[in-house]
Amino acid sequence: MIANFSKPALTLALLAGAAVAGPAQAQSAAEGQKLAFDRGKGNCLTCHVIKGGDLPGTIGPELTGLKAKYSRDDLIAIVTDETKRNPLTVMPPFGRNRILSEQEISAVVDFLQTL
Amino acid sequence: MMLRLTIRAAATLALGVLALVPAARAADSIDPLADKAAFQKFYTDKFPKLKLEDFVNGPYSMNEDLHKQWVEKEDFPPYEFSLEAGKEMFSKPFKNGKTYADCFPNQGIAIRQNYPYFDEKEGKVVTLELALNRCREANGEAPFSYVKDDMAALTAYMAYTSRGKPMDIKIPNDPRALDAYQKGKEYFYTRRGQLNFSCATCHVQSPGERIRAEVLAPALGILNAMPIYRSEWSGMGTTSRRFTTCNSQIRGVPLNPQDDEYRNLEYYLSYVSNGLPISGPGARP
């Protein structure tokens, strides 16, 4: 994959990544919010109260203060397949069952970390 | 009264077990009577304000606001059109002059609570929808779609004439019947689909909870209200429709209506609701 980049492009990409890590993450979090509210995708709102979302469900806990409660790796693990931690969970295994791609899960987690 | 019945039933079961020690050992874990008691207790413990018969109103039984909505809805029930059509269809003779009444015990009136039953000749579960289509075919008529319209109208009428009768599903002393029951139970508790839900995930673990604006129904008594007018469907739907759409909603591949798995599921789910009144046809959000 990286081999496909030309050297200047790669350098530029790295520079851009380093320089605008903030905005890029914000953009990813905004993308994550879309996924979290989208009925066909993350659809987190169906079960969880989330700031900014209308008509939330009541099955899961409210998604708030997550950065203090969980590491990024924990959040990725929970979204990917919560049945590993809790076999009785209602939560769908978004990663294992390919409901979301790795990249989408990463964006959703970026969003969760803003809550 | 209830207690005495339970004790007598338990005693009968105990005697049955004693008489069949080798067979009983093989089927050690299959105990429909105990399942039913535990299933019903689970719901009455979870919702201590509700009486058993309240559960047949599904989400409308879950809190006072919803109950009020239900009472208002019953003033102008959205299933009425279908019920009227069903009544008319039921009495209209087939081309050969016979009617549905000729296919059923008691002329088909007030018998909904006995379906599904285990047919020992066929060795399988027979549901009311299946019996209706078999009746049509035996009289030279084409079968109806299982999921809505005509089938919903007919079952609406048959449920209506049975309102208030306690669900009364029997498991005959036949290992195949017990096997059908057990398979239905396994289907009910098995996770499937991309969302990895079993029937129990929503309707045992989460009744009364909301998914977005929709309130999840308790599994107890869920079939007593069938068929239902569902606003979400903008129309009537049968038990077959309920099962197949559930499977689609969890992003699974639905089976065909009246496949063995669904027949067994209906057998299990109806049995554990024994004693609760028939309330169909129903209305749901």
Side-chain angles (χ1 to χ4, degrees), chain B residues 187-234:
Chain B
Y187 190 92
F188 182 81
Y189 286 102
T190 301
R191 288 182 184 245
R192 56 176 58 80
Q194 195 184 24
L195 297 185
N196 198 42
F197 289 173
S198 68
C199 309
T201 308
C202 287
H203 302 288
V204 176
Q205 285 182 260
S206 320
E209 300 290 343
R210 278 189 287 111
I211 46 171
R212 303 245 183 184
E214 189 180 342
V215 178
L216 291 168
L220 177 62
I222 202 167
L223 297 182
N224 298 47
M226 293 291 163
I228 50 174
Y229 181 95
R230 256 198 117 179
S231 308
E232 196 186 307
W233 295 338
S234 313

Side-chain angles (χ1 to χ4, degrees), chain B residues 244-257:
Chain B
T244 50
T245 53
C246 266
N247 279 165
S248 303
Q249 282 171 324
I250 60 163
R251 302 189 194 167
V253 180
L255 306 167
N256 294 312

Side-chain angles (χ1 to χ4, degrees), chain B residues 57-129:
Chain B
N57 293 323
Y60 290 124
S61 62
M62 300 279 91
N63 68 49
E64 269 172 43
D65 272 357
L66 285 160
H67 184 77
K68 226 161 87 189
Q69 280 183 34
W70 175 75
V71 171
E72 283 165 11
K73 222 169 192 172
E74 285 296 300
D75 282 342
F76 300 99
Y79 50 74
E80 199 155 271
F81 182 79
S82 174
L83 176 57
E84 287 300 319
K87 187 178 179 181
E88 206 178 304
M89 287 166 67
F90 196 82
S91 53
K92 195 177 157 202
F94 302 125
K95 282 184 231 88
N96 67 4
K98 296 212 169 159
T99 64
Y100 290 108
D102 297 321
C103 296
F104 291 95
N106 200 38
Q107 307 286 298
I109 302 303
I111 58 161
R112 161 69 186 94
Q113 69 281 1
N114 302 321
Y115 289 80
Y117 69 94
F118 189 81
D119 187 310
E120 294 190 76
K121 242 186 272 163
E122 185 183 349
K124 286 188 181 189
V125 173
V126 175
T127 67
L128 185 61
E129 294 168 23

Side-chain angles (χ1 to χ4, degrees), chain B residues 5 11 20 57 91 143 154 157-158 208 224 229 233 264 267:
Chain B
L5 276 179
L20 293 166
N57 293 323
S91 53
L154 281 173
Y157 175 64
M158 292 182 81
N224 298 47
Y229 181 95
W233 295 338
N264 293 339
Y267 194 43

